[in-house]
Amino acid sequence: MTVITAPFINQDRLSRTIAELATIGKLPNGGVCRIAYSPEVISARQLVQRWMQETGMTVRIDAAGNIIGTYAGQKTDAPALMTGSHIDTVPTGGRYDGALGVLAGIEVVRVLREHSIRLDHPVEVVVFTDEEGGMIGAKAISGTVFKEPEYYRRDDGTSIETCLQRVGGDWSKLATAKRNAADIAAFVELHVEQGGVLEHHGKQIGVVEGIVGQHRYIVTVIGRSNHAGTTPMSMRQDALVTASQIVLAVNHLAKSSSGSSVATVGALSVFPNAANIVPGQVELTIDMRDVDQEHLILLSEQLQQQLQAIAKSNRTEITITPILQTEAVLATPRIQTAIEQTCKEMGFSYCHLPSRASHDAQEMGLITDMGMIFVPSQAGISHAEDEYTSPEECAQGVNMLLQTLIRLDLMYPV
Amino acid sequence: MTVITAPFINQDRLSRTIAELATIGKLPNGGVCRIAYSPEVISARQLVQRWMQETGMTVRIDAAGNIIGTYAGQKTDAPALMTGSHIDTVPTGGRYDGALGVLAGIEVVRVLREHSIRLDHPVEVVVFTDEEGGMIGAKAISGTVFKEPEYYRRDDGTSIETCLQRVGGDWSKLATAKRNAADIAAFVELHVEQGGVLEHHGKQIGVVEGIVGQHRYIVTVIGRSNHAGTTPMSMRQDALVTASQIVLAVNHLAKSSSGSSVATVGALSVFPNAANIVPGQVELTIDMRDVDQEHLILLSEQLQQQLQAIAKSNRTEITITPILQTEAVLATPRIQTAIEQTCKEMGFSYCHLPSRASHDAQEMGLITDMGMIFVPSQAGISHAEDEYTSPEECAQGVNMLLQTLIRLDLMYPV
């Protein structure tokens, strides 16, 4: 290929596509509701496919319902440089989470085409299926999808077979969606941070170190329900006192950790939950995340030891049930370096940070080189209608994606 | 009067009346459901009235629906020695709470009559209306009833006017139910402990020091909801971490208190209560009780100071709303002494303890000399079907009531 100096993306056009996509599933306060497989997400998929086609991409839908738009490269049979994200949302989502990464890919191809640039590698822009619900699209590509269709049954009872049909997929052929390192050179995803780290540090771009591993538990504390008036303090087996010590232990463990760990008790329910009854039982969740997999395992072990000690000292019983364990996936170092160098070239302030939320990229990282670029989220707000990233920040991110793909095209031999 | 040595009550007869009353509103697992003003409580009231009449008492129903059985004394116009309790229950109640105190009064009169004993004072046995719901019966006698009928409207919408009609009362004449020290010399209530103190210390009889005062609050903690993955520990305003510190502070305050205080966070609700969201808001109740009114006020002040400090250190906001404040009512010292001396005479092991639950006696203590006698509750269980006090323990309590009333008859001049 011929190296072209710095083509820039069209910020106004990018903003218009973000705004137009946000009209589908529009909520009253600026957010969107496009739950996977819903009529809204299907409309949005049609719009995105049309844009891909208008931009000169060939579009196919794989068995997992992933939309894959391909902008051909100069070298036939070269593995793809892939980017993309998702356009499904949580029930009251924002207009940037996922959508920005998809629209960024389309904008990048538009710019390449306007400048008559063809990279050596084909560029693939992917809309992954159901990122918010279970990442079946990305998991089908990485080959980690659960075999049992029941696992993916929707809360409303709809089977995954029916869901995939709606979006042009086919559960019985899911294995055909699997990809590998031979046909994908690298994957880079642009996403809003969904946290407040970039804003807090006043940085324009986040170079993602990896996607944190996650351990999630349900903890049940069994004490003894008793009259809150007639039971002296010394005779109580108060499950909520134990649970409160657990909440503080979880918080302290992550706060005093040397790494970038976070740990949260987000849900907690008390039984029987009456003002005049000493709580007999408490159920709570613990969510721990760390980009350093070994450190995450160490923290989990420390937590379990502490919990047993707390239970014992309060004459209550604790049971700990693991309900989720995902491994940390590191961003490929040379892609991190490429993103960092691009930041320097373009004059963007940046910092390294882990992604503490899940992303399609974590599945792609299992089969190919992977990197992620973050742009700031105002006040760290995400999964909410008032999620906001300014037009300038969005454009900076898309320019970073464009230049990074051009850089990777040079880095990866064909 | 002539002093008669130690008449004893009839344990078998007492047990039969307890068992017979428990057939009305009988539940499958040994408990009873006789909610105030229900058909069941009305049947039970009829049975108790019949027993009173058969025992030679004159029976009247006051405007609050209280059943008052009077066994005449030798001295006309002497103020009454009053005893009694209630026969309404919580929805799944036991067969002893309240019922024992009423049936004890009837058994005492039966024994007096069998032995042809008439005390100087008339003996009144009272069935107080709706102890479990709002103590309107005892409050009408003490003159502390709320003026607004709406306050007493039932959860099912029934007005208090209708309720009182059902039990022979009359809301419009409620003031006529008021009594005073001139016509009641003293009130003594026998009740099951509803806690585990007597059993724990291996004592047969509890000499009640008073009925605890109670402060109850609703506390709202406002933090900020945020993504449990993407929000670093240092940037969190976790309402549940603050709430957990409050739970422990409340527990510690009562535990380290010099008195007999109890303090409980019994109900706690988290918002939005999802495993992957840092809690943005928590609502919880605080219930504090102490028989020493000044100490209770001091504890409440300490609590509020600690809560403000906790809120500040976590960058969360706390609002504290008082929802209930009842004053501690001390048992009259000379009645406590009379009960204690009776224990010694009868050879019963005993200890002093506060009543940490509410009782009709607390209202009676506002207008006359008051005392309470406790018998053990197995495993401290109460307000439950498996509430249990053995026939021997019940009989010991009723013998104590009988001998205490005889002692008070001598103590109080006519």
Side-chain angles (χ1 to χ4, degrees):
Chain A
M1 65 158 287
T2 319
V3 181
I4 308 287
T5 51
F8 285 103
I9 69 106
N10 183 328
Q11 179 181 315
D12 288 345
R13 182 172 57 195
L14 176 69
S15 296
R16 280 198 306 275
T17 60
I18 292 172
E20 190 173 343
L21 187 60
T23 61
I24 305 174
K26 183 179 178 179
L27 292 175
N29 299 314
V32 285
C33 174
R34 285 193 306 260
I35 295 170
Y37 316 114
S38 66
E40 292 76 21
V41 92
I42 290 168
S43 292
R45 288 165 59 91
Q46 286 164 350
L47 177 61
V48 166
Q49 285 177 69
R50 202 188 79 210
W51 280 338
M52 285 177 165
Q53 283 157 349
E54 289 170 358
T55 314
M57 289 187 253
T58 56
V59 178
R60 72 182 178 93
I61 302 206
D62 70 12
N66 297 308
I67 303 169
I68 303 172
T70 306
Y71 180 71
Q74 294 196 40
K75 301 282 165 70
T76 352
D77 299 334
L81 289 174
M82 192 190 267
T83 186
S85 190
H86 61 98
I87 57 175
D88 63 291
T89 69
V90 293
T92 50
R95 44 170 70 189
Y96 303 93
D97 177 356
L100 177 63
V102 168
L103 300 178
I106 294 171
E107 176 62 23
V108 162
V109 173
R110 280 180 176 146
V111 175
L112 291 176
R113 195 183 185 213
E114 280 169 352
H115 289 77
S116 306
I117 303 170
R118 288 220 173 249
L119 305 186
D120 283 349
H121 301 77
V123 175
E124 286 188 18
V125 179
V126 186
V127 178
F128 293 98
T129 302
D130 191 14
E131 194 268 350
E132 298 292 358
M135 257 186 240
I136 193 171
K139 282 178 175 289
I141 290 177
S142 70
T144 64
V145 103
F146 290 92
K147 298 264 183 296
E148 284 304 314
E150 278 308 305
Y151 179 87
Y152 293 101
R153 183 177 290 278
R154 308 296 289 180
D155 287 346
D156 69 359
T158 313
S159 71
I160 188 64
E161 290 92 334
T162 303
C163 285
L164 289 183
Q165 265 175 20
R166 286 185 194 160
V167 295
D170 183 347
W171 172 264
S172 71
K173 295 180 181 161
L174 209 62
T176 62
K178 172 84 173 74
R179 304 285 292 274
N180 56 52
D183 70 337
I184 306 174
F187 174 82
V188 180
E189 182 172 358
L190 171 67
H191 206 285
V192 291
E193 183 200 334
Q194 300 183 267
V197 174
L198 294 177
E199 184 183 76
H200 184 70
H201 294 294
K203 302 295 185 187
Q204 294 168 300
I205 298 293
V207 181
V208 176
E209 299 164 325
I211 292 133
V212 295
Q214 188 174 354
H215 286 189
R216 193 177 287 176
Y217 304 92
I218 287 181
V219 176
T220 304
V221 183
I222 309 275
R224 188 191 275 186
S225 286
N226 239 320
H227 194 296
T230 60
T231 315
M233 301 310 288
S234 62
M235 292 171 68
R236 298 183 173 203
Q237 293 166 261
D238 186 328
L240 183 55
V241 167
T242 300
S244 297
Q245 291 177 336
I246 292 173
V247 171
L248 298 181
V250 166
N251 190 255
H252 182 73
L253 202 62
K255 270 189 169 166
S256 61
S257 153
S258 55
S260 62
S261 320
V262 290
T264 310
V265 176
L268 184 148
S269 302
V270 180
F271 307 94
N273 210 35
N276 63 343
I277 302 181
V278 177
Q281 188 168 335
V282 173
E283 276 210 356
L284 59 89
T285 58
I286 299 177
D287 181 292
M288 305 183 79
R289 309 187 195 198
D290 199 302
V291 75
D292 179 339
Q293 182 65 19
E294 282 181 28
H295 193 239
L296 179 60
I297 291 169
L298 179 70
L299 281 184
S300 282
E301 287 168 0
Q302 289 177 344
L303 178 75
Q304 302 203 22
Q305 286 166 10
Q306 289 186 18
L307 260 51
Q308 294 307 343
I310 289 169
K312 214 170 169 182
S313 72
N314 289 303
R315 298 182 302 149
T316 47
E317 279 176 37
I318 291 182
T319 56
I320 308 167
T321 311
I323 54 168
L324 177 73
Q325 297 217 337
T326 60
E327 284 202 17
V329 179
L330 293 178
T332 310
R334 63 177 177 161
I335 297 195
Q336 290 189 58
T337 306
I339 295 169
E340 191 178 348
Q341 286 175 343
T342 306
C343 282
K344 286 178 182 164
E345 258 187 29
M346 299 195 75
F348 292 143
S349 60
Y350 67 94
C351 66
H352 293 264
L353 81 176
S355 169
R356 294 190 178 91
S358 298
H359 294 292
D360 295 306
Q362 75 196 53
E363 290 296 326
M364 299 308 299
L366 301 176
I367 54 166
T368 187
D369 287 0
M370 178 274 284
M372 282 194 84
I373 300 166
F374 273 175
V375 286
S377 296
Q378 189 175 81
I381 294 165
S382 180
H383 282 191
E385 288 201 65
D386 51 346
E387 177 182 271
Y388 183 72
T389 300
S390 73
E392 295 73 22
E393 290 166 328
C394 289
Q396 287 164 5
V398 183
N399 272 318
M400 278 295 302
L401 180 66
L402 171 62
Q403 296 305 324
T404 301
L405 289 173
I406 291 172
R407 183 178 296 269
L408 295 181
D409 189 50
L410 295 173
M411 271 170 56
Y412 284 81
V414 287
Chain B
M1 65 161 284
T2 318
V3 180
I4 308 289
T5 52
F8 286 104
I9 69 109
N10 183 328
Q11 180 180 315
D12 288 344
R13 181 172 58 195
L14 177 70
S15 295
R16 281 198 305 276
T17 60
I18 292 172
E20 190 173 342
L21 187 61
T23 62
I24 305 174
K26 184 181 177 178
L27 293 174
N29 299 312
V32 284
C33 174
R34 285 194 305 262
I35 295 170
Y37 315 115
S38 67
E40 293 77 20
V41 93
I42 289 167
S43 292
R45 289 166 59 91
Q46 285 162 351
L47 178 61
V48 165
Q49 286 177 68
R50 201 188 79 211
W51 281 338
M52 285 177 166
Q53 282 155 349
E54 288 170 0
T55 314
M57 288 187 254
T58 56
V59 179
R60 70 181 179 95
I61 302 206
D62 71 10
N66 296 308
I67 302 169
I68 303 172
T70 305
Y71 180 70
Q74 294 197 40
K75 301 282 167 67
T76 352
D77 299 335
L81 290 174
M82 191 189 269
T83 186
S85 191
H86 60 98
I87 57 174
D88 62 291
T89 69
V90 294
T92 52
R95 44 169 72 188
Y96 303 93
D97 178 354
L100 177 63
V102 169
L103 300 177
I106 293 171
E107 177 60 24
V108 161
V109 174
R110 280 180 177 146
V111 174
L112 291 176
R113 196 182 184 215
E114 280 169 353
H115 290 76
S116 305
I117 303 171
R118 290 225 170 244
L119 305 186
D120 282 348
H121 300 78
V123 175
E124 288 190 16
V125 180
V126 185
V127 178
F128 293 99
T129 301
D130 191 14
E131 194 268 354
E132 297 292 359
M135 255 185 243
I136 192 170
K139 280 177 176 289
I141 290 178
S142 72
T144 63
V145 100
F146 290 93
K147 298 264 183 295
E148 284 303 314
E150 278 309 304
Y151 180 86
Y152 293 101
R153 182 177 290 279
R154 309 295 290 178
D155 287 347
D156 68 1
T158 314
S159 71
I160 188 64
E161 289 93 334
T162 303
C163 287
L164 289 183
Q165 265 174 20
R166 287 185 193 161
V167 294
D170 183 345
W171 172 263
S172 70
K173 295 181 181 159
L174 209 62
T176 61
K178 172 83 171 75
R179 304 287 291 274
N180 56 53
D183 70 336
I184 306 174
F187 175 82
V188 180
E189 182 172 358
L190 171 67
H191 206 283
V192 291
E193 183 200 333
Q194 300 184 270
V197 174
L198 294 177
E199 184 183 78
H200 184 71
H201 293 295
K203 302 295 185 188
Q204 293 167 300
I205 298 294
V207 182
V208 175
E209 299 164 325
I211 292 134
V212 295
Q214 188 174 353
H215 285 188
R216 193 177 287 174
Y217 303 92
I218 287 181
V219 176
T220 304
V221 183
I222 309 274
R224 188 190 275 187
S225 285
N226 238 321
H227 194 296
T230 60
T231 315
M233 300 310 287
S234 62
M235 291 170 68
R236 296 183 175 205
Q237 293 166 261
D238 187 329
L240 183 55
V241 167
T242 300
S244 297
Q245 292 177 339
I246 292 173
V247 171
L248 298 181
V250 166
N251 189 255
H252 182 73
L253 202 61
K255 270 189 168 165
S256 61
S257 154
S258 55
S260 62
S261 320
V262 291
T264 311
V265 176
L268 183 148
S269 302
V270 179
F271 307 94
N273 209 34
N276 63 344
I277 302 181
V278 177
Q281 188 169 335
V282 173
E283 275 208 358
L284 59 90
T285 58
I286 299 176
D287 180 293
M288 306 182 80
R289 309 188 193 196
D290 199 302
V291 74
D292 178 340
Q293 182 65 21
E294 281 182 27
H295 194 238
L296 180 61
I297 291 169
L298 179 70
L299 281 184
S300 281
E301 286 168 0
Q302 289 177 345
L303 178 75
Q304 301 203 22
Q305 285 167 10
Q306 289 186 18
L307 260 51
Q308 293 307 344
I310 290 168
K312 213 170 172 185
S313 72
N314 289 302
R315 296 183 302 150
T316 48
E317 277 175 38
I318 291 181
T319 56
I320 308 166
T321 311
I323 54 169
L324 178 73
Q325 298 218 337
T326 60
E327 283 203 18
V329 179
L330 292 178
T332 309
R334 63 176 177 163
I335 296 196
Q336 291 189 58
T337 306
I339 296 169
E340 192 178 350
Q341 286 175 341
T342 307
C343 283
K344 286 178 183 161
E345 257 185 31
M346 301 195 73
F348 291 142
S349 61
Y350 68 93
C351 66
H352 293 263
L353 81 176
S355 168
R356 294 189 178 91
S358 298
H359 293 293
D360 295 306
Q362 75 197 51
E363 291 297 326
M364 298 309 298
L366 301 177
I367 54 165
T368 187
D369 287 0
M370 179 272 286
M372 281 194 84
I373 300 166
F374 273 175
V375 286
S377 296
Q378 188 175 81
I381 293 165
S382 178
H383 281 191
E385 288 200 63
D386 51 347
E387 177 183 270
Y388 183 71
T389 300
S390 74
E392 294 72 23
E393 290 167 329
C394 288
Q396 286 163 5
V398 182
N399 272 317
M400 277 294 303
L401 180 66
L402 170 62
Q403 296 305 325
T404 301
L405 289 173
I406 291 173
R407 183 177 297 270
L408 295 181
D409 189 50
L410 295 174
M411 270 171 56
Y412 284 81
V414 286

